[in-house]
Amino acid sequence: MKIVVNQSCQDDMNAHAEETFPEECCGTMLGREREDGSREIVQVIRVENTKGENRERRFLIEPRSLLQAERTAKEAGLDVLGIYHSHPDHPSKWSEFDRVHAMPFWSYLIISCIKGKTATIQSWRLREDRSVFDEEELSFNG
């Protein structure tokens, strides 16, 4: 599994993580599936973290925000391929909370933001049986 992220999209996600520090940021990733099975992310949409408490360790995306992302993607001839969020002062590895709330068909890009600065970035995809995430090979273009 490979995911290629447009560099301007990654720059925006990194900025979002740094701007919301010490709380988690979140958003949707739009793009297309390539013929070789890899994914290409060409647009991101920042979404408000609507979690009521513990926003330093949790995020919540309202269903209407996901619906709007689907509409935006469709209008642009793209698909919603995943969710990004930050882990303030934590590694970019998925948590058990992330696993329980994830969908198997989406990519989950996690940005580690240490002391307010982007540190590491990893992307994950949940297995069909929902048991564990597998890391996606992540690269950047443009």
Side-chain angles (χ1 to χ4, degrees):
M1 294 180 298
K2 182 177 181 178
I3 185 167
V4 179
V5 179
N6 183 294
Q7 187 62 54
S8 65
C9 293
Q10 190 60 58
D11 293 345
D12 189 38
M13 290 185 281
N14 292 348
H16 194 192
E18 292 175 4
E19 289 164 16
T20 59
F21 185 87
E23 295 182 348
E24 288 194 5
C25 74
C26 54
T28 55
M29 300 187 301
L30 282 51
R32 56 186 65 90
E33 299 270 354
R34 292 176 163 176
E35 300 225 356
D36 65 2
S38 67
R39 293 179 163 177
E40 180 181 20
I41 303 303
V42 298
Q43 184 179 349
V44 294
I45 301 172
R46 293 180 180 205
V47 177
E48 180 184 355
N49 179 356
T50 58
K51 187 76 175 159
E53 70 243 0
N54 196 21
R55 291 161 54 110
E56 297 82 13
R57 294 286 171 260
R58 300 285 180 263
F59 75 94
L60 177 64
I61 296 177
E62 292 293 328
R64 68 177 164 261
S65 295
L66 291 176
L67 182 59
Q68 183 58 49
E70 290 283 352
R71 286 183 184 136
T72 300
K74 185 176 181 180
E75 289 169 5
L78 303 171
D79 293 305
V80 175
L81 296 179
I83 301 288
Y84 74 87
H85 72 281
S86 61
H87 279 181
D89 290 330
H90 265 25
S92 53
K93 185 176 183 328
W94 58 275
S95 67
E96 183 62 12
F97 182 87
D98 293 334
R99 185 192 66 78
V100 168
H101 293 88
M103 302 297 234
F105 47 88
W106 277 350
S107 294
Y108 289 86
L109 190 140
I110 302 174
I111 303 158
S112 173
C113 193
I114 306 297
K115 297 182 180 174
K117 293 292 177 193
T118 300
T120 59
I121 304 160
Q122 291 173 278
S123 189
W124 307 91
R125 203 177 312 179
L126 188 63
R127 290 185 186 169
E128 287 293 324
D129 67 4
R130 303 180 61 85
S131 63
V132 67
F133 278 97
D134 292 309
E135 187 170 4
E136 294 180 297
E137 179 186 339
L138 177 63
S139 64
F140 306 98
N141 69 9

